[in-house]
Amino acid sequence: MANTNLQFKTNYAVSSKIEPFYKGGKVQISKDEKYIFCTCGSRVNVLEISTGKIVHCVEHDDQEDITSFAVSCDDELLVTASRAMLLKQWDWRQGTCTRSWKAIHTIPVASMTFDPSSTLLATGGCDATIKVWDVVKQYCTHNLKGSSGVVHLVQFHPDISRLQLFSSSVDCGVRLWDLRSSQCVCVLESHYSAVTSLSFSRDGHTMVSSGRDKICTVWDLKSRQAKRTVPVYEAVEGVVLLPEKTDLSQIGVKSKSLHFVTAGSKGVLRVWEASTARCVYTQSLPSTLTPSSEEDKEDDNPRSLTYLFHLPASSRLATVTAEHNILFYQLPSLTTQQQFVGYNDEVLDVKFLGKDDTHIVVATNSSQLKVFQLLTNSCQILYGHTDTVLTLDVFKKGSLFASCAKDRSVRVWQLDSDSGQVRCVAQGSSHTNAVGSIGCSRLKSSFVVTGSQDCTVKVWDLPAEFSGEEIHQLSPRSTEKAHDKDVNSVSVSPNDKLLASGSQDRTAKLWSLSGDGNLGLLGVFRGHRRGIWSVCFSPVDQILASSSADGTTKLWGLQDFSCLKTFEGHDASVLKVIFVSRGTQLLTSGSDGLVKLWTIKTNECVKTLDAHQDKVWGLHGSRKDDKMVTGSADSNITVWLDVTKVELAEEQAKQEEQILKQQELSNLLHEKKYLKALGLAISLDQPHTVLTVIKAIRQAEDGSDLLESTLLRLRADQKESLLRYCVVWNTNARNCLDAQAVLQVLLTHLPPEELLQFQGARTHLEGLIPYTERHMERIGRLQQASMFLNYMWQKMRVAGASSGMEQDEDMDTTPLAQTQPSFFLDKENARGGTDEREDRGDDGDREQEEESGSEVKDEEEAEEISASKKASANDAREKKGETNGRRQSESEESSEEEEEDDHVVQVMRNLPISSAPRLQALS
């Protein structure tokens, strides 16, 4: 079982990407030989040769495709032309457009180039005209007319003092323009097809032109005549004159005469001696391709070359192939040094390769395999299959892998860990249809299993060692009719004893791999509603995972073949499934372009990774389980890094920092350092904490003055945050007092112009106005109610006094000491009321004595009048107690409104709200 202490993965982050940077069009290499400039739709990508990564990119705002571009000889300026017939000058290192102007051409620009001084720019248009521009003084210097059709080639003579420009159009001639007279001096006619390239000798007196008419012509520029025509027997796209004072004997240069290199439709570099028109060296092809097969496919050869460059500083040649690959060859041996893949087309499968997962091998929508070195993105292209490679699998050691293709064959490849070179060591062909799935043995590199569209599964034995340069021929040891439809996936168990197969017939099957080579059916897994795309064994449990076109992933028990769990979440077909975290989690990829991370125990999708725009066919995890790689039909290959531990450490560090800041805030409040406390609270971006500091300031002595002085010492960004917090506080009656106090300071001391410069100030002010008006209305209602209460209280006092006077004349003498009040405001009032009632009882006795004939003195009459007034006052207090009792019962029914009103009453007493008119003026 899996380790219970294992930490589940929670997230992956993109570590690196291999994405398209060249989809056809012009390519140029910088003068310092550090960067490659190439077009990719509406962008010009700048690729760093040393790392293979895109370091700069310029793109037209109008999203128009770039038809041509040119980089100045000093590598400072980049000028692009688009279909919108605009020329744009770029500071390509910063990615900014410094100038743009109309090209004057009536239709788009087809070609352009800079002169050696980086001052003049020549543009050749599809309107058969050539414009020469002074990019420094920013004006058009020449308008050259006379070409026929599209001017697809313009090039300055390397000697700037000559002021000569060469051009070629669809009339197959090379025109020589004298920029002093703006006239066409001559037309060099020799080719019968489009001229594709020009190359000049060091002294500038000799030029070589190449064309698609399968010839190269050597020109004497002094006499302006053809010195020799060299038949090269292939459509030539690029020609380069070799340096004269360099030892190039390894490629057949034996004499000091003129030699040049051609690149064309055959896909190989060839060296020619100009004086004898003889080919002295031909680059060797990979052993898997014969010259005869290349000649048969010359018209549609994926290896055909479209550009050829000479890099004198590093003594290298660079070529561009029809499949958008850029290759660098080292002189004088012409050995391949670097390869970059500009466009991968649809990625069908991808796997980690190498002892430490230093490489990845990619199967694209082509017959070639591509092996990328992750550190430099340099690529090795593997030739062998004759049709599209469909899938891959890697053996446990990592240096051996297998591939299968539509050509019905299977091949085994080996990576040399020292040199990094890959070669084919074995091949076999026995299927009768395309081979769509392959699985390698896990314990030893002893066999491979293939599944085909012919509905069969085959087991192929491998030799113990692969020695020598010969390719070992494989033969199947067993064949089994496995399914009723295409076999989409096969997987070998970790102990090499079981085999699982998944098919388009919606079933997965479990097979035994016995030592005698026979396949035995153990059981069938049924439950998917559509075809199964992938099957995978758990590395620790007796569980099989399967993914299907029905959008689900299922886990099956190998004992009873029952479905244990179902994972639903993808909106389309689930194309791949693998186990990670020692079998406790799953990674799935789908047709929706998403990669999902699942925890098996909880059936929960932990994370959804979105980095692709099309079907994710390829998904593979590294041996250390810390990385994964995905490949998609959008031509992007993404390497992901497990960042669970990093994010956990960051979260812990963040929590510790928060705790320290909270402690520091408490200390500052305790020390009454309110300015620092308020600044710290704002930096934490916690409105409730800021509110706590504001309350603490207002509760201090001279709170209003202290609040004002503290707020005015804040920075502008802190005041902006306070204004934003006030909008939130002002929505609650509990906190409106503090919000209005802060607002009063801000609105009183900050001019409107400064307030309106705050980000979102108008929105905040508009949010403050309705709640402020609501608080004012509530205060108005409470003020009216309090005035009415005061009026009633005054009336009750007057009525009580008058009734007391009436009772004084005819008073009830019944003792009132036994009467208890129904409501007391406080104990002192209660005691006072009782004493008054006792005094009143004594006065009654005294009145009875007066009726019996006793004499009453004036002082006693005064005491009686006073006692009656006290009784009247006591009755008024009782009535007020009853009124307050009724108000208390009413307040219990609407306690929430009373609580808000109490706070607003405090606002009314302590701070006159006068913000609403000012807020309305600001908004």
Side-chain angles (χ1 to χ4, degrees):
M1 295 295 293
N3 186 1
T4 55
N5 296 326
L6 179 69
Q7 183 180 14
F8 290 149
K9 301 181 188 301
T10 58
N11 195 12
Y12 284 86
V14 176
S15 173
S16 61
K17 292 186 75 171
I18 300 174
E19 52 189 345
F21 63 85
Y22 173 58
K23 294 183 179 180
K26 186 176 180 179
V27 175
Q28 187 173 344
I29 298 176
S30 62
K31 196 74 172 180
D32 58 10
E33 302 177 8
K34 293 182 179 180
Y35 303 100
I36 304 173
F37 296 80
C38 41
T39 56
C40 186
S42 61
R43 305 191 308 272
V44 173
N45 291 319
V46 184
L47 189 77
E48 190 175 22
I49 296 176
S50 60
T51 62
K53 299 185 183 299
I54 299 173
V55 292
H56 302 288
C57 177
V58 299
E59 184 173 7
H60 280 232
D61 297 334
D62 52 12
Q63 300 294 317
E64 289 284 348
D65 286 346
I66 293 176
T67 57
S68 185
F69 72 91
V71 182
S72 61
C73 294
D74 58 5
D75 295 336
E76 292 298 325
L77 299 179
L78 168 67
V79 177
T80 60
S82 69
R83 294 188 180 277
M85 287 175 286
L86 281 178
L87 294 177
K88 291 196 174 186
Q89 181 177 313
W90 302 82
D91 179 358
W92 58 270
R93 288 185 173 86
Q94 301 297 327
T96 57
C97 179
T98 58
R99 179 186 166 220
S100 64
W101 68 97
K102 290 185 179 180
I104 305 179
H105 294 278
T106 56
I107 46 182
V109 174
S111 59
M112 64 170 64
T113 186
F114 272 95
D115 76 325
S117 68
S118 301
T119 303
L120 299 179
L121 171 71
T123 59
C126 297
D127 57 358
T129 64
I130 301 171
K131 307 287 192 297
V132 181
W133 310 83
D134 189 326
V135 295
V136 177
K137 297 181 179 179
Q138 302 181 1
Y139 71 99
C140 180
T141 61
H142 299 78
N143 184 15
L144 308 177
K145 298 181 180 180
S147 302
S148 301
V150 177
V151 181
H152 59 267
L153 176 65
V154 287
Q155 191 165 341
F156 284 95
H157 192 281
D159 185 0
I160 189 57
S161 62
R162 298 192 181 190
L163 282 177
Q164 292 179 343
L165 176 68
F166 295 83
S167 69
S168 179
S169 58
V170 295
D171 60 2
C172 308
V174 179
R175 282 179 165 78
L176 174 57
W177 303 86
D178 183 4
L179 297 183
R180 289 185 175 89
S181 62
S182 299
Q183 298 296 323
C184 178
V185 178
C186 68
V187 179
L188 305 179
E189 295 181 343
S190 173
H191 293 277
Y192 297 94
S193 185
V195 178
T196 55
S197 178
L198 301 176
S199 182
F200 297 88
S201 62
R202 183 181 293 271
D203 58 11
H205 300 318
T206 305
M207 181 183 75
V208 178
S209 62
S210 65
R212 296 194 180 103
D213 53 3
K214 302 185 179 183
I215 64 170
C216 290
T217 305
V218 182
W219 302 90
D220 184 354
L221 294 182
K222 289 183 178 180
S223 62
R224 297 168 184 169
Q225 298 294 324
K227 293 170 60 176
R228 179 173 288 276
T229 298
V230 181
V232 295
Y233 309 108
E234 68 171 333
V236 181
E237 297 292 336
V239 62
V240 165
L241 281 168
L242 290 173
E244 299 173 2
K245 297 181 181 180
T246 306
D247 181 14
L248 300 174
S249 57
Q250 294 186 39
I251 55 174
V253 179
K254 305 296 183 182
S255 64
K256 295 183 179 180
S257 61
L258 195 66
H259 290 75
F260 60 89
V261 182
T262 60
S265 58
K266 289 186 177 181
V268 294
L269 297 177
R270 295 196 289 177
V271 181
W272 301 82
E273 188 176 10
S275 59
T276 61
R278 184 170 58 91
C279 179
V280 297
Y281 179 81
T282 301
Q283 186 184 21
S284 60
L285 291 167
S287 58
T288 54
L289 293 177
T290 61
S292 60
S293 65
E294 286 300 313
E295 290 177 1
D296 295 338
K297 296 183 178 181
E298 184 175 326
D299 294 336
D300 190 22
N301 182 13
R303 299 195 66 203
S304 62
L305 304 176
T306 57
Y307 286 94
L308 176 63
F309 305 98
H310 180 224
L311 310 179
S314 58
S315 187
R316 291 188 295 178
L317 293 176
T319 62
V320 182
T321 70
E323 284 199 331
H324 313 117
N325 302 325
I326 302 174
L327 295 86
F328 289 85
Y329 300 98
Q330 187 66 53
L331 289 173
S333 58
L334 279 185
T335 54
T336 304
Q337 189 187 47
Q338 281 180 294
Q339 298 184 60
F340 299 108
V341 178
Y343 183 58
N344 282 312
D345 202 1
E346 188 171 353
V347 179
L348 301 181
D349 204 357
V350 59
K351 292 286 190 293
F352 280 108
L353 191 62
K355 184 178 180 180
D356 297 319
D357 297 325
T358 56
H359 296 70
I360 56 173
V361 56
V362 182
T364 62
N365 194 20
S366 70
S367 59
Q368 292 87 40
L369 286 170
K370 300 178 178 69
V371 179
F372 290 90
Q373 186 179 7
L374 291 177
L375 188 61
T376 63
N377 277 7
S378 181
C379 175
Q380 181 181 351
I381 301 174
L382 307 180
Y383 297 89
H385 288 287
T386 58
D387 207 341
T388 303
V389 181
L390 295 177
T391 189
L392 306 161
D393 200 12
V394 182
F395 288 91
K396 185 176 182 180
K397 292 183 178 180
S399 60
L400 206 65
F401 66 95
S403 63
C404 57
K406 283 185 178 180
D407 59 6
R408 298 174 291 181
S409 69
V410 55
R411 285 180 177 265
V412 180
W413 310 79
Q414 189 172 34
L415 171 68
D416 188 340
S417 58
D418 297 328
S419 64
Q421 297 299 308
V422 181
R423 67 184 184 93
C424 181
V425 294
Q427 67 173 349
S429 180
S430 179
H431 283 285
T432 60
N433 209 331
V435 185
S437 58
I438 193 167
C440 298
S441 57
R442 298 302 172 207
L443 293 179
K444 296 180 180 179
S445 303
S446 56
F447 65 89
V448 295
V449 181
T450 58
S452 169
Q453 292 181 9
D454 60 12
C455 307
T456 63
V457 172
K458 293 181 183 290
V459 182
W460 311 72
D461 281 326
L462 301 182
E465 293 182 357
F466 297 100
S467 58
E469 297 296 328
E470 294 184 0
I471 298 177
H472 186 82
Q473 296 297 322
L474 301 178
S475 59
R477 80 178 185 195
S478 62
T479 302
E480 190 72 31
K481 173 72 166 59
H483 292 274
D484 297 330
K485 292 184 179 180
D486 301 353
V487 181
N488 291 333
S489 177
V490 291
S491 178
V492 180
S493 64
N495 60 3
D496 285 349
K497 293 183 179 180
L498 298 175
L499 169 69
S501 61
S503 170
Q504 202 65 29
D505 63 5
R506 299 179 292 180
T507 65
K509 293 185 179 182
L510 186 66
W511 308 82
S512 64
L513 286 169
S514 57
D516 57 1
N518 294 324
L519 287 172
L521 180 63
L522 298 178
V524 182
F525 304 97
R526 292 186 174 89
H528 282 293
R529 299 187 302 275
R530 292 193 179 180
I532 295 175
W533 280 113
S534 177
V535 291
C536 181
F537 281 100
S538 169
V540 292
D541 295 321
Q542 294 186 4
I543 290 175
L544 179 74
S546 64
S547 61
S548 168
D550 60 10
T552 65
T553 302
K554 292 180 180 290
L555 296 183
W556 310 85
L558 301 185
Q559 299 293 335
D560 54 2
F561 309 104
S562 62
C563 178
L564 304 178
K565 285 181 179 290
T566 300
F567 301 88
E568 298 181 359
H570 285 279
D571 295 331
S573 301
V574 185
L575 303 176
K576 211 82 169 183
V577 58
I578 60 172
F579 283 90
V580 292
S581 304
R582 299 182 189 176
T584 59
Q585 290 182 296
L586 292 174
L587 278 170
T588 60
S589 63
S591 296
D592 50 10
L594 302 177
V595 178
K596 290 182 178 287
L597 175 65
W598 308 82
T599 299
I600 294 176
K601 184 176 181 180
T602 60
N603 248 43
E604 178 188 5
C605 177
V606 179
K607 190 69 177 180
T608 299
L609 308 172
D610 187 5
H612 295 286
Q613 307 299 321
D614 209 337
K615 301 180 182 69
V616 183
W617 288 107
L619 174 66
H620 191 231
S622 63
R623 289 167 183 79
K624 294 182 180 179
D625 204 22
D626 59 342
K627 290 187 294 185
M628 72 165 175
V629 61
T630 56
S632 170
D634 61 5
S635 188
N636 286 325
I637 301 167
T638 306
V639 179
W640 304 80
L641 184 65
D642 178 16
V643 293
T644 301
K645 293 182 179 179
V646 176
E647 289 186 347
L648 183 62
E650 290 178 353
E651 184 65 26
Q652 290 177 348
K654 188 175 180 180
Q655 291 178 358
E656 291 175 359
E657 185 181 2
Q658 289 287 100
I659 291 173
L660 292 175
K661 286 186 176 181
Q662 291 287 355
Q663 183 61 46
E664 183 182 358
L665 181 64
S666 300
N667 295 338
L668 291 173
L669 289 176
H670 181 71
E671 297 170 2
K672 297 185 178 180
K673 297 180 179 179
Y674 295 118
L675 180 62
K676 291 185 177 180
L678 189 58
L680 180 60
I682 294 174
S683 67
L684 293 174
D685 196 22
Q686 296 178 355
H688 182 72
T689 307
V690 178
L691 180 63
T692 304
V693 178
I694 295 293
K695 289 181 180 292
I697 295 174
R698 297 188 68 249
Q699 290 173 0
E701 295 182 3
D702 299 329
S704 300
D705 297 337
L706 181 60
L707 178 65
E708 181 177 337
S709 62
T710 304
L711 294 184
L712 293 179
R713 292 168 64 186
L714 293 176
R715 300 192 309 268
D717 60 324
Q718 294 173 330
K719 294 175 183 177
E720 180 180 341
S721 300
L722 267 180
L723 180 61
R724 188 173 71 250
Y725 298 156
C726 284
V727 178
V728 181
W729 302 338
N730 197 49
T731 59
N732 191 342
R734 286 177 177 272
N735 307 322
C736 71
L737 174 65
D738 306 289
Q740 293 293 332
V742 174
L743 280 176
Q744 186 184 26
V745 176
L746 294 179
L747 296 179
T748 303
H749 295 85
L750 295 182
E753 294 79 9
E754 183 178 350
L755 278 173
L756 293 176
Q757 288 179 357
F758 291 165
Q759 185 178 2
R762 292 184 181 275
T763 305
H764 298 330
L765 295 173
E766 289 175 358
L768 284 167
I769 289 173
Y771 284 97
T772 303
E773 290 177 346
R774 177 181 175 184
H775 298 325
M776 291 183 67
E777 291 175 359
R778 184 181 293 115
I779 290 172
R781 291 197 301 271
L782 287 174
Q783 192 172 12
Q784 291 178 3
S786 63
M787 292 177 66
F788 178 75
L789 182 63
N790 188 32
Y791 171 75
M792 292 297 296
W793 165 240
Q794 295 295 337
K795 286 296 184 182
M796 290 170 61
R797 289 181 59 185
V798 173
S802 61
S803 62
M805 295 290 292
E806 293 174 358
Q807 289 179 4
D808 204 19
E809 298 174 0
D810 187 13
M811 183 175 294
D812 186 9
T813 59
T814 305
L816 299 176
Q818 298 178 356
T819 305
Q820 298 294 329
S822 60
F823 180 77
F824 295 121
L825 293 178
D826 50 44
K827 294 181 179 179
E828 293 181 358
N829 293 338
R831 269 191 234 102
T834 305
D835 295 338
E836 289 172 359
R837 286 177 175 80
E838 290 176 354
D839 293 341
R840 187 176 177 182
D842 295 339
D843 293 340
D845 295 338
R846 208 174 290 117
E847 288 176 1
Q848 290 178 356
E849 291 175 359
E850 289 174 357
E851 291 177 357
S852 63
S854 301
E855 293 182 1
V856 181
K857 297 181 181 181
D858 294 339
E859 291 83 4
E860 290 178 351
E861 291 177 0
E863 288 177 0
E864 288 175 0
I865 294 171
S866 176
S868 63
K869 288 183 179 180
K870 288 182 180 179
S872 301
N874 187 46
D875 293 339
R877 288 191 186 95
E878 290 180 357
K879 290 181 180 180
K880 181 180 179 181
E882 293 175 0
T883 303
N884 289 336
R886 285 195 301 271
R887 289 181 59 83
Q888 183 181 13
S889 62
E890 291 173 1
S891 66
E892 289 175 355
E893 295 176 357
S894 57
S895 59
E896 183 177 357
E897 184 176 357
E898 279 285 332
E899 187 176 3
E900 294 182 356
D901 293 344
D902 289 342
H903 286 286
V904 180
V905 169
Q906 293 180 20
V907 178
M908 179 182 68
R909 291 175 179 173
N910 300 320
L911 180 66
I913 297 183
S914 59
S915 305
R918 185 183 291 266
L919 290 174
Q920 289 176 345
L922 283 171
S923 63

